């Protein structure tokens, strides 16, 4: 499997996936921004809460990793109906985790509800782990590209739980 697009169609799909993932990030950011000040700024936070400036570069990197991983899965071809079915399942799971990603921003920030955020982030962590495993079964690099995202979601879960308990 090529590391980078070899055809115009492949490059278009990669670009489309990048735009899709970054659009999900943009929507999450749009849902988050109105609650940063004064609501989020006024919450008690744990000592391990990172500075606000770190979130944009981390999320951008994670969204680009997601897009590249999904593109690698999209490229998986086979004459086996089983592999093609697994590819389809993996890409559907990818779409679902993207929805949970945005939904967490809506639950935690837009609704200003850390308790609801905990429920959604638990579903998000489960969906990210599922995508990671499904991707790994089809393409090791695609699965490995989801490891940083799973780690970030687990960190965000601990942060979400701490904020819920402190407030």
């Amino acid at each position: 499997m090529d590391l980078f697009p070899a055809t115009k169609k492949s490059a278009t799909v990669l670009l489309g996936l990048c735009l899709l993932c970054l659009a999900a990030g943009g929507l999450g950011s749009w849902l988050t921004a109105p609650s940063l000040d004064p609501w989020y700024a006024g919450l008690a936070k744990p000592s391990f809460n990172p500075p606000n400036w770190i979130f944009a570069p981390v999320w951008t990197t994670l969204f680009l990793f997601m897009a590249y991983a999904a593109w690698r899965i999209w490229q998986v071809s086979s004459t086996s109906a089983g592999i093609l079915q697994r590819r389809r399942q993996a890409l559907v799971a990818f779409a679902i985790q993207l929805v949970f990603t945005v939904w967490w921003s809506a639950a935690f920030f837009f609704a200003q509800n850390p308790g609801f955020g905990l429920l959604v982030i638990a579903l998000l962590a489960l969906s990210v782990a599922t995508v990671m495993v499904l991707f790994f079964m089809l393409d090791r690099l695609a699965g490995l590209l989801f490891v940083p995202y799973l780690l970030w979601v687990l960190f965000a879960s601990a942060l979400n739980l701490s904020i819920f308990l402190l407030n």
Side-chain angles (χ1 to χ4, degrees), residues 11 37 43 50 66-67 92 123 147 161:
D37 193 26
L43 293 175
M66 281 186 236
V92 167
L123 296 171
V147 171
L161 176 61

Side-chain angles (χ1 to χ4, degrees), residues 37-114:
D37 193 26
W39 179 75
Y40 184 72
L43 293 175
K45 297 176 199 71
S47 61
F48 62 89
N49 188 69
N52 286 346
W53 65 264
I54 199 76
F55 291 98
V58 168
W59 275 111
T60 301
T61 301
L62 292 172
F63 281 122
L64 292 174
F65 279 12
M66 281 186 236
Y68 184 67
W71 173 76
R72 289 185 63 86
I73 296 304
W74 173 81
Q75 285 194 139
V76 170
S77 63
S78 175
T79 57
S80 165
I83 290 177
L84 295 177
Q85 177 65 19
R86 279 191 282 170
R87 181 182 75 174
R88 183 181 158 288
Q89 290 170 341
L91 291 172
V92 167
F94 172 80
I96 290 168
Q97 70 79 30
L98 211 51
V99 169
F100 280 129
T101 300
V102 174
W103 192 20
W104 180 79
S105 294
F108 185 91
F109 286 102
F110 190 76
Q112 299 180 359
N113 190 333

